[in-house]
Amino acid sequence: MNTKILLLLLLGVSFLFFGCAKKAAETDNVSETDDVTEEEETADEEDETTEEDNETAEEPDEEEEELADLFDIDKDKPVGDEGLDVESPSSESE
Amino acid sequence: MSDFMKWLLTVVFVVLASVSFAWTNDALPEMLEARYEYTVCNVEYTDEWLEMREDCADQEEVPVFDSSEYMDALYDDLEDLEEATEEADRFEFGVAMWQLGLDSLDLLVAIIADALTDKNLDFFSCVRDGEEPLMEDRDDCRLDAMELEREAAKDYVNNEIDYANDQIEDMDELGADTSGMEEVVEYGEELVDDIDPAFDTGEISEIRKLHLRHSRLVLLFRLEKMLATIDYVEPIIEDGDNDNKEEILERGDELRDEVEEVLDQCEYSDEVDDNFDYGRDNLECWDDSIDLFDEFIAIGVLILEGA
């Protein structure tokens, strides 16, 4: 009985210990992440502005895309006289 | 436009170019079915004719070659043709029919060679008499198949005319000169009017003439469309600032000259004096045009890349 209680207490302390350690680590990371996030947000804002400028400059010329679409042509031949010219045998072949 | 965007659009354009003109004629399955039925008539007649010939050989006690391998080949070809017909696969149909033509020729050569081997006049006389009823059955069979083809042909060409008119309308809306395309469509309408008279003759050579004219007209329409497109696009590119402007204008100019040359050489005639000559000319015209089609598509890619 005493052994069981002791074991249970040890397990409980272990979980408590590891739980605190994990939480401490997370708290440290959050602080670091916050700093990084702020930096990233600033950089992102700058990027967005640049991207917006680029989008205006990079927007494809729709008229020229429509012109390019006109350059489309079917290369396949239609059904022809194939099979109509196949000769059948006859006494005239001999 | 970023390089990646250009690359992506080019890939999309090339893929679409290869599939978008996958306009299929709704009457294609009918056409293939009719032609398949016609071919069945010929193959079955050939089988029966060879059997009759072997009976004559037995009767006259002369040797005859074993034709079973040749007939196996023809029936294999027929099976491939049937499959292509069921799938309405234009390309595979052409391949199977071409192979059947080759195997039929092989058989004819074998028959001629065999005829020169230890035969007598009574044998040939027996074959001549025996083939008459077989030929009558074959000709009746062919007529039935031709009736299927008559209706299919009218639907097929009318569908093409409707499609051509849609294309003319689209280009008219842009302000392009479609007079060349319209002229070809008029010839196509005359061709439709000639379908019934040709089939009424019951002569395969007359029906072949229709096909030969049809093939020429389809090609000419595409060439005229290319010309109309180049003429329409040229001033727009000249006034624009496409990155590939110089090259587009130069290649477009060269292509125009080449298309006009082929149009000149392959001028349409509704009179087919000799099926073989007209067919040979068609082959040359199509061969000369394939590279032009590729160049036409390539110019479209240039426009897109430089946009």
Side-chain angles (χ1 to χ4, degrees):
Chain A
M1 178 69 170
N2 290 337
T3 310
K4 285 180 188 174
I5 293 168
L6 187 60
L7 279 172
L8 278 171
L9 277 172
L10 276 172
L11 273 173
V13 168
S14 300
F15 282 131
L16 193 64
F17 173 78
F18 284 116
C20 289
K22 191 175 173 188
K23 194 169 181 183
E26 282 174 359
T27 306
D28 287 343
N29 284 342
V30 165
S31 300
E32 288 173 0
T33 307
D34 281 344
D35 291 337
V36 171
T37 304
E38 278 178 15
E39 287 173 2
E40 284 179 349
E41 279 179 359
T42 309
D44 281 347
E45 281 171 4
E46 288 174 353
D47 283 344
E48 278 178 16
T49 309
T50 310
E51 280 178 10
E52 281 171 6
D53 291 339
N54 285 344
E55 275 176 12
T56 308
E58 292 174 0
E59 210 168 61
D61 187 323
E62 286 184 15
E63 187 188 15
E64 291 199 328
E65 273 185 41
E66 286 171 6
L67 289 182
D69 285 344
L70 296 175
F71 285 78
D72 198 0
I73 200 82
D74 187 355
K75 301 198 295 185
D76 292 337
K77 288 185 185 180
V79 175
D81 64 346
E82 51 267 38
L84 295 182
D85 57 348
V86 176
E87 277 194 49
S88 300
S90 71
S91 55
E92 289 178 11
S93 319
E94 301 183 301
Chain B
M1 190 191 299
S2 71
D3 287 345
F4 172 73
M5 194 63 185
K6 282 186 194 178
W7 174 85
L8 183 63
L9 280 173
T10 305
V11 167
V12 168
F13 181 84
V14 170
V15 168
L16 285 178
S18 65
V19 300
S20 67
F21 254 96
W23 172 80
T24 48
N25 195 316
D26 286 343
L28 176 64
E30 279 179 71
M31 283 291 292
L32 298 185
E33 177 66 32
R35 193 61 59 77
Y36 168 74
E37 293 297 336
Y38 180 87
T39 308
V40 168
C41 300
N42 288 342
V43 172
E44 288 181 348
Y45 160 80
T46 300
D47 198 2
E48 288 163 2
W49 187 87
L50 286 167
E51 206 178 303
M52 174 274 297
R53 191 171 182 272
E54 281 163 19
D55 290 342
C56 287
D58 287 341
Q59 181 183 299
E60 300 304 325
E61 293 178 344
V62 296
V64 71
F65 81 111
D66 182 1
S67 60
S68 55
E69 269 185 38
Y70 295 92
M71 279 317 304
D72 286 346
L74 288 181
Y75 277 116
D76 283 345
D77 296 334
L78 202 60
E79 213 173 288
D80 292 340
L81 203 66
E82 186 182 28
E83 195 178 318
T85 302
E86 284 166 0
E87 293 170 3
D89 187 332
R90 169 80 187 89
F91 178 75
E92 289 301 328
F93 188 91
V95 169
M97 190 62 88
W98 178 79
Q99 186 60 48
L100 191 140
L102 286 181
D103 290 335
S104 298
L105 198 56
D106 283 347
L107 174 58
L108 280 177
V109 169
I111 291 168
I112 291 167
D114 183 71
L116 299 172
T117 315
D118 298 328
K119 301 293 184 295
N120 55 41
L121 289 176
D122 287 339
F123 166 78
F124 293 120
S125 178
C126 175
V127 170
R128 262 198 310 277
D129 292 339
E131 73 184 8
E132 274 184 35
L134 300 181
M135 282 181 165
E136 279 173 21
D137 289 345
R138 178 200 64 186
D139 292 346
D140 286 342
C141 180
R142 280 175 169 181
L143 279 175
D144 288 343
M146 282 297 103
E147 280 313 301
L148 288 178
E149 181 149 339
R150 179 203 296 252
E151 294 312 309
K154 283 190 272 191
D155 289 342
Y156 193 79
V157 181
N158 278 324
N159 287 347
E160 282 177 330
I161 288 172
D162 288 344
Y163 181 51
N165 280 330
D166 286 344
Q167 293 175 77
I168 288 170
E169 196 179 313
D170 289 343
M171 295 204 66
D172 268 341
E173 280 173 12
L174 295 174
D177 177 7
T178 57
S179 54
M181 295 162 77
E182 288 168 29
E183 188 180 38
V184 177
V185 168
E186 281 174 21
Y187 290 139
E189 285 163 350
E190 288 171 12
L191 182 74
V192 174
D193 292 341
D194 290 343
I195 289 175
D196 275 331
F199 276 83
D200 284 343
T201 67
E203 297 290 329
I204 296 302
S205 64
E206 291 302 309
I207 294 163
R208 288 189 65 204
K209 286 178 189 195
L210 290 178
H211 282 291
L212 292 170
R213 286 165 59 191
H214 173 246
S215 175
R216 184 71 62 91
L217 287 174
V218 168
L219 175 64
L220 291 176
F221 181 82
R222 291 178 192 174
L223 292 171
E224 290 288 356
K225 185 187 168 186
M226 284 162 60
L227 209 56
T229 304
I230 292 166
D231 287 344
Y232 167 71
V233 167
E234 187 183 53
I236 299 172
I237 294 290
E238 260 173 3
D239 290 344
D241 57 0
N242 189 291
D243 288 347
N244 296 324
K245 178 174 164 176
E246 297 272 327
E247 191 179 350
I248 291 165
L249 291 173
E250 191 182 324
R251 286 170 71 170
D253 208 38
E254 280 173 17
L255 181 59
R256 179 198 288 109
D257 289 345
E258 287 168 337
V259 168
E260 283 175 344
E261 196 178 322
V262 176
L263 280 169
D264 202 42
Q265 286 169 356
C266 303
E267 196 178 343
Y268 177 69
S269 168
D270 62 356
E271 293 293 328
V272 182
D273 297 324
D274 185 285
N275 284 3
F276 180 80
D277 288 344
Y278 206 106
R280 182 203 55 215
D281 290 345
N282 274 357
L283 266 176
E284 276 177 26
C285 290
W286 276 95
D287 281 348
D288 289 343
S289 300
I290 291 295
D291 286 345
L292 304 188
F293 295 155
D294 288 336
E295 177 63 0
F296 184 70
I297 292 168
I299 290 173
V301 172
L302 263 183
I303 293 174
L304 201 58
E305 283 177 345

